[in-house]
Amino acid sequence: MSQILKVAMPKGRIYNKAAELFRQAGLPIPPDGEESRKLVISLPEAGMEFILAKPVDVPTYVEYGVADIGIVGKDVLLEENRDVYELLDLGIARCRMSIIGLPNWQPGIQQRVATKYPNVASRYFREQGQQVEVVKLNGSIELAPLIGLADRIVDMVETGQTLKDNGLVEMKSIFEITSRLVANRVSYRMKNEEIQQLCDRLQAVITGPGLATDGVQR
Ligand code: PRP
């Protein structure tokens, strides 16, 4: 008998792209919670339960096994460093992690970098042999160089519009980001058939015709 698969879905910018991918793969997906604020949605007839989580928490739910699988950006995976099994690059929500600054930036004696990704930023500058002070912020990171909190920021760039509107420049892209399907290590063994089936369906859509890498049907 097949077992219920618990899926952690990130609320917010990835949700619609992931939902589109699931639909294309013929998998069930609850509608984006506009009309309801329900966070756990059970679809017993499909053998699935959806947990609508804050994106940064998805790897935590999966590591602890309260979700068997989850969808999460590579940025969050690298920042959170949770013990989860990365199954599939979904190729959606494509963007990049970059170093950003004011156009006239010069290396100073005291370098301060603001970011939502302190682990990613610290690791990067350590590997570069650069000594910087990393300051954690929770959003609107572009403010930091504008008002003098930091010299540079490490942040996600998708269209580049936020940078442009704030007179900032992308100094270096440090890695590409896409959303990944991750699994709890025990669930992957115990619910292998269910997880593998879902993976195969998603893989067929990703590699097949009709769905571009940004998750948009052409
Ligand atoms: C993200 C990121 C940038 C922006 C990049 O912020 O931190 O600010 O999107 O996108 P763009 O290149 O298409 O302009 P988000 O919208 O998640 O909000 P936040 O500032 O609250 O983190």
Side-chain angles (χ1 to χ4, degrees):
M1 204 185 83
S2 71
Q3 308 174 73
I4 295 279
L5 204 56
K6 294 182 183 169
V7 187
M9 294 291 287
K11 293 194 293 179
R13 69 161 69 207
I14 302 176
Y15 189 89
N16 287 339
K17 291 171 181 167
E20 180 58 26
L21 192 60
F22 267 55
R23 276 187 211 105
Q24 289 294 309
L27 296 162
I29 185 87
D32 197 2
E34 300 260 303
E35 64 287 348
S36 151
R37 293 187 57 87
K38 239 179 132 171
L39 298 174
V40 180
I41 299 169
S42 221
L43 300 176
E45 63 289 353
M48 290 170 94
E49 181 172 284
F50 289 88
I51 296 151
L52 306 187
K54 204 173 152 76
V56 72
D57 293 332
V58 166
T60 308
Y61 294 130
V62 174
E63 182 187 285
Y64 281 87
V66 292
D68 300 308
I69 57 171
I71 291 180
V72 60
K74 188 67 181 176
D75 53 330
V76 171
L77 276 181
L78 289 173
E79 178 63 23
E80 296 298 311
N81 208 18
R82 290 285 178 181
D83 183 23
V84 294
Y85 183 30
E86 197 177 315
L87 291 176
L88 204 56
D89 182 347
L90 300 173
I92 56 169
R94 196 175 286 276
C95 56
R96 54 195 184 271
M97 186 68 71
S98 295
I99 317 276
I100 293 152
L102 288 163
N104 57 0
W105 181 82
Q106 295 286 333
I109 298 165
Q110 176 66 41
Q111 292 198 49
R112 205 186 281 151
V113 172
T115 185
K116 246 192 302 198
Y117 303 89
N119 295 327
V120 164
S122 301
R123 205 179 308 135
Y124 173 78
F125 286 109
R126 200 169 45 242
E127 282 167 12
Q128 298 295 309
Q130 293 182 37
Q131 257 199 326
V132 302
E133 181 190 349
V134 173
V135 181
K136 161 97 198 266
L137 291 177
N138 295 299
S140 302
I141 314 298
E142 290 81 1
L143 262 180
L146 297 180
I147 59 172
L149 174 67
D151 308 286
R152 288 173 292 173
I153 62 173
V154 171
D155 201 15
M156 229 173 73
V157 179
E158 191 176 4
T159 62
Q161 195 61 44
T162 313
L163 293 185
K164 199 165 155 244
D165 288 355
N166 290 289
L168 298 171
V169 292
E170 189 174 3
M171 301 161 82
K172 188 172 185 205
S173 161
I174 58 178
F175 59 85
E176 292 290 317
I177 301 167
T178 47
S179 301
R180 312 297 164 107
L181 183 72
V182 296
N184 171 270
R185 292 189 185 279
V186 176
S187 301
Y188 188 66
R189 279 189 275 116
M190 306 300 283
K191 300 186 180 178
N192 188 268
E193 203 182 313
E194 292 82 357
I195 293 176
Q196 205 49 58
Q197 212 172 66
L198 179 134
C199 261
D200 290 348
R201 283 180 165 208
L202 291 172
Q203 181 76 67
V205 178
I206 296 162
T207 51
L211 192 80
T213 50
D214 57 2
V216 177
Q217 175 107 54
R218 305 284 184 219

